[in-house]
Amino acid sequence: MTISPPESGHKRDRIPVPAALLRDPVHLLALGFGSGLAPVAPGTFGSIVGLLFLSTIAIGLLYAAGLMWGEHTSMTMVEYWRWWVVHLWVEGFFFALTVTVVVTIAGIWICGESARRLGVHDHSAIVWDEVAGMMLTLLAAPATWWGIGLAFGLFRLFDVWKPWPIREVDHGMRGGLGIM
């Protein structure tokens, strides 16, 4: 099965990408675990992967907090909230930030290597930049449904629109850094 995303008409979008490439770990990550093979709006699907990835980290932290708060704990309510603020809000944010930075830095090599193997710079199926970008955007968003929705919508708007000077930087850089 090959996918050729039709949305922009660019030469890079007409080169088919076989789904069998997902067996290669580099392509699996660069193609956003397969979300980049979506026939329409692969960047949007890659952004959803980023949202789910960061949400998994946040839910894991909340689950860990719930495990600590049980009927057999000796923590008072004040101690629990102090723990909550220090560990989840502060340390949890820095943990999510660290994961996001690692995903972004690794993405420079992952996207560059995938593009080199595909023979196309910034193929539309390469969506790891959307995964990392969405994770970074969510770090600044309020942890509410409307905040997450607004962050998602604005991220997609600016990713598609690419206002000046981002557009110039995007077109001027090559390799993985240019993709990211």
Side-chain angles (χ1 to χ4, degrees):
M1 176 180 170
T2 60
I3 303 295
S4 182
E7 71 252 10
S8 72
H10 289 103
K11 179 183 174 192
R12 68 185 179 104
D13 293 328
R14 290 185 290 232
I15 297 173
V17 177
L21 286 178
L22 295 177
R23 290 188 213 119
D24 179 354
V26 170
H27 290 307
L28 178 69
L29 293 174
L31 303 181
F33 304 102
S35 63
L37 297 178
V40 178
T44 300
F45 286 96
S47 298
I48 292 170
V49 169
L51 186 138
L52 294 174
F53 192 60
L54 196 64
S55 296
T56 302
I57 293 168
I59 290 169
L61 290 171
L62 292 173
Y63 182 72
L67 288 177
M68 289 192 65
W69 183 259
E71 61 185 64
H72 302 294
T73 185
S74 62
M75 292 174 76
T76 65
M77 186 61 88
V78 172
E79 290 171 331
Y80 177 71
W81 284 109
R82 186 178 303 132
W83 180 88
W84 179 274
V85 168
V86 171
H87 292 285
L88 290 183
W89 288 358
V90 178
E91 292 175 4
F93 172 79
F94 286 112
F95 177 72
L97 177 64
T98 301
V99 170
T100 302
V101 168
V102 168
V103 163
T104 302
I105 291 171
I108 295 170
W109 181 81
I110 291 167
C111 291
E113 182 63 18
S114 182
R116 186 187 66 74
R117 292 179 189 182
L118 289 173
V120 181
H121 174 72
D122 202 6
H123 192 287
S124 62
I126 298 175
V127 295
W128 194 252
D129 55 326
E130 277 84 2
V131 171
M134 190 71 236
M135 291 174 67
L136 187 60
T137 302
L138 288 172
L139 289 175
T144 62
W145 287 109
W146 66 265
I148 292 169
L150 183 64
F152 183 85
L154 288 174
F155 176 77
R156 291 307 307 142
L157 174 72
F158 285 106
D159 187 49
V160 171
W161 177 31
K162 289 192 181 28
W164 182 90
I166 301 301
R167 184 181 332 111
E168 301 306 319
V169 172
D170 184 53
H171 293 300
M173 296 183 84
R174 306 307 291 163
L177 188 59
I179 296 171
M180 291 297 289

